Amino acid sequence: MGGKQNPEQRRRELCDAAIALLAREGIKGVTHLKVDRKAGVADGTTSFYFRTSSALIRAAANRIADLDLADLTAATRSDNGDDGPSPAVGLARLVIRSGTGARLVRSKARYELVMPSSRDAGLAEAFSHNQQRFFELHRNVVVALCPSDTDPGLIDEKSYVLLTFISGLMLALARGDRTINSDEELHGIITAIVAAAPAASHREGVAAVDR
Amino acid sequence: MGGKQNPEQRRRELCDAAIALLAREGIKGVTHLKVDRKAGVADGTTSFYFRTSSALIRAAANRIADLDLADLTAATRSDNGDDGPSPAVGLARLVIRSGTGARLVRSKARYELVMPSSRDAGLAEAFSHNQQRFFELHRNVVVALCPSDTDPGLIDEKSYVLLTFISGLMLALARGDRTINSDEELHGIITAIVAAAPAASHREGVAAVDR
């Protein structure tokens, strides 16, 4: 690699190398020197761009978060026209793809950082913005699937249940579980989860909960 | 602590100390000396019982797996009589409790080990037995909630969806998310997920999605 790249492009390449190391070896596998070697740049380059180990890990986390958000936003667009995939189909495709190729690398790296982010405010910040946006994007999927639902509380609850299921599934895929491995099967499951009318007993249960 | 304890009891105490360190600092926080200090035993004790770092982490993983399985088995018993909690109520209570106290410590430690277990066969073994048993126990919850379901494939699918949702929720609780915080609310959600009949629309949906 020459010196022609601009700093932003170089930072992204170093983050991508750090993400690959995270996926393969966990946080302990991410050192400045290993990132230099992985990215094929001169020793010391990573230290120049990211002074501390913490800065490097946070930058990788921000890169993961940016890519995740861009992917989920594109996948769940509802303005694809009549021929485009529905938000639910887009979500199913994206999640299944998170179990293979470059997205699997990113997914493994993400889950390596989940527990550390509960101990590190800087790392938590990289993901906290996405948590709210992910909820909103899953909510779009629910609204598109259930246009007749009008109770915002019910829509929120379905959205949270869907988001939580998808999170558990992505963790399973990142670990190598392949119980669900087709877009079609996952789309059917998403549809069933979202269609689930919380029965009378449920609503009473929720109402009875003291906040 | 005296020398009166039997070796098995001592091993369990050292594992519990390792679990507390895992929860607080991740794998990198678990050293033999720190486990000695945390357990209040003479320096060198942990090294005597667990020669390598890998043996220590695996023993902690096995202890987590044993406690998890005992908890889930007890929570989802269906022979509690008419006055006892149903399997679904027992599951909801257990999951909510996993977000507080000693169970939160164990839960954080468990999720610290999930991604490392995908890189370490010995660690994976500690959890792999439980994965099958957890599926069976969640299946018991589904069968108890839907006694009229007779299609084994449908029961299996509902069980997998429930298990995956619960896994995502426990990860969220371990991270400090408190969106769902009452047994009643979670019981209502479990009931709704399991009741969701992947109706005709589901089966058709599966067939209709293009590959």
Side-chain angles (χ1 to χ4, degrees):
Chain A
M1 293 186 187
K4 286 183 295 185
Q5 288 166 307
N6 69 45
E8 277 312 303
Q9 173 64 16
R10 175 54 52 92
R11 277 197 182 84
R12 281 195 294 272
E13 286 173 7
L14 297 174
C15 286
D16 289 340
I19 290 167
L21 289 166
L22 268 172
R24 204 170 62 196
E25 306 175 40
I27 283 188
K28 71 176 182 341
V30 184
T31 65
H32 287 81
L33 187 60
K34 285 170 82 170
V35 173
D36 287 338
R37 302 284 164 88
K38 180 82 186 166
V41 297
D43 290 1
T45 305
T46 305
S47 292
F48 175 79
Y49 284 97
F50 307 104
R51 294 285 165 184
T52 63
S53 175
S54 174
L56 174 59
I57 298 289
R58 285 178 194 181
N62 277 307
R63 172 93 173 130
I64 292 170
D66 289 347
L67 293 168
D68 284 352
L69 184 56
D71 272 358
L72 188 62
T73 302
T76 58
R77 291 171 70 97
S78 54
D79 54 354
N80 288 309
D82 289 345
D83 294 337
S86 70
V89 167
L91 176 64
R93 286 182 183 167
L94 178 64
V95 170
I96 294 297
R97 273 180 218 157
S98 80
T100 55
R103 284 203 177 80
L104 177 58
V105 172
R106 194 204 312 163
S107 202
K108 283 172 180 264
R110 181 193 320 110
Y111 284 109
E112 289 287 348
L113 297 179
V114 166
M115 294 312 296
S117 75
S118 69
R119 295 189 296 269
D120 176 332
L123 207 46
E125 206 181 320
F127 295 113
S128 62
H129 170 70
N130 269 14
Q131 281 167 20
Q132 180 58 32
R133 286 293 297 138
F134 282 9
F135 177 80
E136 291 161 6
L137 292 167
H138 281 72
R139 202 175 186 284
N140 292 350
V141 173
V142 171
V143 169
L145 280 174
C146 303
S148 61
D149 278 353
T150 52
D151 172 1
L154 177 62
I155 297 171
D156 282 351
E157 186 177 284
K158 287 180 174 188
S159 307
Y160 182 78
V161 170
L162 178 61
L163 179 62
T164 303
F165 167 77
I166 293 293
S167 158
L169 178 57
M170 289 187 68
L171 176 61
L173 290 167
R175 269 183 25 231
D177 178 335
R178 293 291 174 271
T179 305
I180 297 181
N181 54 25
S182 85
D183 302 355
E184 296 80 358
E185 185 178 9
L186 179 55
H187 179 255
I189 289 171
I190 290 170
T191 306
I193 289 176
V194 171
S201 63
H202 172 201
R203 302 311 290 169
E204 285 162 21
V206 172
V209 177
D210 48 316
R211 294 236 174 205
Chain B
M1 292 186 184
K4 285 184 297 187
Q5 287 164 310
N6 69 46
E8 276 314 302
Q9 173 64 16
R10 174 54 52 91
R11 276 196 182 85
R12 280 195 294 272
E13 286 174 6
L14 297 174
C15 285
D16 288 340
I19 290 167
L21 289 166
L22 268 173
R24 206 170 59 196
E25 305 175 42
I27 283 189
K28 71 178 183 336
V30 183
T31 65
H32 286 81
L33 187 60
K34 284 170 83 169
V35 173
D36 288 339
R37 303 282 164 87
K38 179 82 185 167
V41 298
D43 288 3
T45 305
T46 305
S47 292
F48 175 80
Y49 284 97
F50 306 103
R51 294 284 164 183
T52 63
S53 175
S54 173
L56 174 59
I57 298 289
R58 286 178 194 182
N62 277 306
R63 172 93 172 132
I64 292 170
D66 289 347
L67 293 168
D68 283 351
L69 183 57
D71 272 357
L72 188 62
T73 303
T76 57
R77 291 171 70 97
S78 53
D79 55 354
N80 287 308
D82 289 343
D83 294 336
S86 70
V89 168
L91 176 63
R93 284 183 185 167
L94 179 64
V95 170
I96 294 298
R97 273 181 217 154
S98 80
T100 56
R103 284 201 177 80
L104 177 57
V105 173
R106 194 202 312 161
S107 202
K108 284 172 179 263
R110 182 194 320 110
Y111 284 108
E112 290 286 349
L113 297 179
V114 165
M115 294 312 297
S117 75
S118 68
R119 296 189 295 267
D120 175 333
L123 206 47
E125 207 182 317
F127 295 112
S128 61
H129 170 70
N130 269 15
Q131 280 167 19
Q132 180 58 33
R133 286 292 298 138
F134 282 9
F135 177 80
E136 291 161 7
L137 292 168
H138 281 72
R139 202 175 188 283
N140 292 349
V141 173
V142 171
V143 169
L145 280 174
C146 302
S148 61
D149 278 353
T150 52
D151 171 2
L154 177 61
I155 297 171
D156 282 352
E157 185 179 283
K158 288 181 173 188
S159 307
Y160 182 78
V161 170
L162 178 62
L163 178 63
T164 304
F165 167 76
I166 293 292
S167 158
L169 179 56
M170 289 186 69
L171 176 61
L173 290 166
R175 270 185 21 232
D177 178 336
R178 292 290 173 275
T179 304
I180 296 181
N181 55 23
S182 86
D183 302 355
E184 294 79 0
E185 185 177 9
L186 179 55
H187 178 255
I189 290 170
I190 290 170
T191 306
I193 289 175
V194 172
S201 66
H202 169 200
R203 300 291 171 198
E204 285 163 21
V206 171
V209 178
D210 53 312
R211 293 223 177 218

